[in-house]
Amino acid sequence: SDEGYYVCTISNSTGGSVETNPVQLTTIPHITEEPVSLENVTPGKPAEFTVKATGINLTYTWLWQTPEHLFPQNRRGYVGNAQILRINKVELSDEGYYVCTICNTTGGSVETKPARLTTIPQITEEPHS
């Protein structure tokens, strides 16, 4: 990647020189590892979605694709500068699709493909004979 800080030095034949202020070159973040869908997670167990990206000064925002887009915070945690979304105790209501938006400080952004979370079917009522 060509991202980084650049300085231009101008010099003349008498040995005089001057440098410009550093200029930061950034590109949009590049996803190197998409989050993987988690199928048949046992309720009560933890689950993690992981994303990896390259770039400078990245921020990660996870969204749960539901009408409210809200995570129950008492069961969620972020690891590694939010590169990992951890659901501490999966519940049936956590099923759905999760995406991560990755941004840099210059406004460049990219969104992951949706990763699906499903749980193992649970017997909620025993059959009656």
Side-chain angles (χ1 to χ4, degrees):
S1 169
D2 294 325
E3 288 186 310
Y5 290 92
Y6 291 84
V7 175
C8 179
T9 302
I10 303 167
S11 56
N12 61 25
S13 59
T14 62
S17 66
V18 64
E19 284 188 354
T20 63
N21 288 328
V23 175
Q24 182 180 9
L25 174 67
T26 60
T27 59
I28 63 169
H30 175 72
I31 297 171
T32 58
E33 184 180 314
E34 293 272 353
V36 176
S37 290
L38 304 171
E39 305 290 331
N40 297 321
V41 176
T42 302
K45 299 289 184 182
E48 289 184 348
F49 290 106
T50 301
V51 63
K52 292 184 181 176
T54 58
I56 295 176
N57 298 323
L58 301 180
T59 59
Y60 300 80
T61 304
W62 288 92
L63 289 177
W64 183 25
Q65 293 187 325
T66 64
E68 299 83 28
H69 295 292
L70 299 175
F71 295 125
Q73 293 301 318
N74 59 337
R75 296 184 297 114
R76 308 248 186 263
Y78 302 99
V79 182
N81 192 26
Q83 296 169 333
I84 298 173
L85 169 64
R86 179 178 172 85
I87 302 171
N88 296 320
K89 185 180 173 187
V90 171
E91 294 182 4
L92 297 176
S93 61
D94 292 320
E95 287 191 339
Y97 291 90
Y98 293 78
V99 295
C100 184
T101 302
I102 305 159
C103 300
N104 63 22
T105 54
T106 60
S109 68
V110 64
E111 186 175 280
T112 64
K113 296 174 186 171
R116 185 176 181 197
L117 173 77
T118 63
T119 58
I120 293 176
Q122 301 291 301
I123 298 173
T124 57
E125 186 176 325
E126 293 292 328
H128 300 287
S129 52

